[in-house]
Amino acid sequence: MKFISTRGGSQVDSAAKAISKGLANDGGLFVPQTFPTVSLEDLNNLCKMDYAERACFVIHKFLEEYDYNDLLTACKNSYSKFEENDAAPLVKLDDKCFILELFHGPTLAFKDIALTLLPYLLRKGCDLCGVKEEVLILVATSGDTGKAALEGFKDAQGIKVMVFYPSEGVSDMQKLQMCTQEGGNVNVVAIKGNFDDCQTAVKKIFTDKNINDMLLKNNVVLSSANSMNFGRLVPQVSYYFSAYADLVASEEIKLGDKVNFVVPTGNFGNILAGYYAKQMGLPIDKLICASNSNNVLTEFFVSGTYDANREFFKTISPSMDILISSNLERLIFELSGRDTSLTKARMDELKTSGKYKISNNELKTLEKEFYANFTDEIDCKETIKDVFEEYGYVLDTHTSVAYSVAQDFIIQTNNQNPVVILSTASPYKFSHDVLSAINEKAPLDAFKCADKLFEITAMDIPKQILELKQKEKRFTKVIEKTQTVDVVLDFIK
Ligand SMILES: *Cc1c(COP(=O)(O)O)cnc(C)c1O
């Protein structure tokens, strides 16, 4: 399958190439030339499969040149790293409301679903296109991608990983997870700034010809593990299908019935994967885009204007503290009828003035497919408390934003279809804020918070958290955002 850049300046003839490059040369994002389709009969077959088999079926639709059985083995390997061998269990809260738990992987956030598999997709992709150089994965993270990428790629052959995170923009547990990372091929540095600063710095390195030439002289090529990379996006499409298959298999719905998905959104990768699933034929009614106080997306979906010129809030759902949602570019591209010059013009506008506007017709299409709303900090905490009291179920701070917006959606639209809420992180990653939401005085120490959360909820503390206590802090460097290039060049030498 061919992949084209959203900005029209680049095209590659295989998914392997799109994945190994990460970002298109013109600064755009790779998108499949057409969407493969999945029939109701296919969906019916998925019901009998386990998660790895479902994932392989969906992913291979895009990655045709990868050997099916080889991919299946890789999926089985990746998803055996998840608790109980199920990467995406569906939990029923009531007849119309389900939680898709995506956080049972090695780093306790949904990014593991893609990042346990990406090393295979990338290594194989490079082999298929004859890339001989060492691959340097540059990552900008709002907390969870960094750790998941480090863990996924640690000690991988011919690959190095360099992670930048905002020094004050991640939770204590997230910071500890990254600072204690093991592996001989990894580096982690904090940038004084927010996530958007990290993302801009990384994007700049990707598109700077001089830096890329310099790297090539050192036998290094760049790739990305952010959701800008198609290889990161495509494994995320699978769990929408898997959730649907589980609903059919457990007779909660009939084959062909429509379902709504609610997604706590930051960089727009997760929800875009849902949009792709819908394009492939999955019976999705509405995709619901849930934001925190950084509600740039809510405003966009309501008004048609994307305006990043606004105050940046540090919230208790830090992985959603983003003002420039990279993957929205892929949606804008589809909305415009795949008009690459219009997409490029809008992205240029975003770069120079921090905003752009879509047409009224495009806005109407958006409204048909999406519902968007946001939740403030107080509401986020109250939701955690309410859901715990009503169902005995503990939401993390990101999932709580989604849950709260799901309630707004049901009240405002009276939509009767079942709602699946994507749960993106374990509450133990954000113990302090989850505890204080449940009305308990939260200790300062992150581990004491975890202990207390266990006392109240009797939900087991994941071993990944317990193990952190003993680990040595290897990475403590904090830099100015102007120093990123030097850090990268230093690392590859
Ligand atoms: C990354 C992340 C999000 C946001 O996902 P996007 O794909 O960036 O929209 C939400 N919640 C958690 C816990 C995350 O780690």
Side-chain angles (χ1 to χ4, degrees), residues 127-255:
D127 294 349
L128 286 168
C129 343
V131 175
K132 296 274 181 288
E133 292 85 2
E134 186 170 55
V135 179
L136 173 63
I137 312 271
L138 278 189
V139 185
T141 183
S142 56
D144 292 328
T145 293
K147 176 62 187 178
L150 290 161
E151 198 55 36
F153 284 103
K154 80 171 171 210
D155 294 326
Q157 282 292 317
I159 298 179
K160 277 186 166 169
V161 192
M162 168 88 239
V163 170
F164 294 105
Y165 71 92
S167 60
E168 301 304 324
V170 300
S171 83
D172 290 346
M173 225 33 120
Q174 288 176 314
K175 195 181 271 191
L176 251 179
Q177 280 186 311
M178 288 188 282
C179 292
T180 56
Q181 180 62 44
E182 290 153 357
N185 62 337
V186 300
N187 194 7
V188 181
V189 169
I191 291 185
K192 287 183 199 159
N194 60 36
F195 170 72
D196 292 309
D197 294 318
C198 297
Q199 182 158 257
T200 306
V202 162
K203 265 195 156 178
K204 223 179 184 157
I205 296 176
F206 269 104
T207 47
D208 187 311
K209 191 165 178 315
N210 283 335
I211 301 173
N212 280 277
D213 286 347
M214 224 164 353
L215 292 172
L216 203 53
K217 265 191 211 139
N218 288 283
N219 199 35
V220 173
V221 290
L222 290 175
S223 190
S224 149
N226 282 92
S227 48
M228 298 184 282
N229 191 326
F230 187 76
R232 165 70 192 280
L233 210 53
V234 67
Q236 297 181 181
V237 179
S238 316
Y239 47 72
Y240 288 89
F241 283 92
S242 178
Y244 192 90
D246 280 345
L247 286 171
V248 174
S250 58
E251 297 181 356
E252 296 290 348
I253 60 168
K254 289 195 299 296
L255 194 66

Side-chain angles (χ1 to χ4, degrees), residues 45-59:
N45 292 335
L46 286 182
C47 295
K48 290 164 235 131
M49 300 180 186
D50 67 16
Y51 189 80
E53 291 163 339
R54 289 172 182 174
C56 180
F57 175 82
V58 173
I59 295 168

Side-chain angles (χ1 to χ4, degrees), residues 103 108-111 141-145 174 195 227 232-233 236 239 263-273 289-290 297 317-322 325-327 396-399 422-426 429-430:
F103 57 78
L108 306 172
F110 86 98
K111 307 225 167 45
T141 183
S142 56
D144 292 328
T145 293
Q174 288 176 314
F195 170 72
S227 48
R232 165 70 192 280
L233 210 53
Q236 297 181 181
Y239 47 72
V263 189
T265 298
N267 219 2
F268 211 75
N270 199 358
I271 193 166
L272 185 84
C289 175
L297 285 166
S317 43
S319 299
M320 298 158 70
D321 289 346
I322 291 174
S325 296
S326 293
N327 267 298
D396 97 287
T397 48
H398 304 75
T399 311
L422 274 60
S423 178
T424 48
S426 158
K429 259 190 134 157
F430 306 93

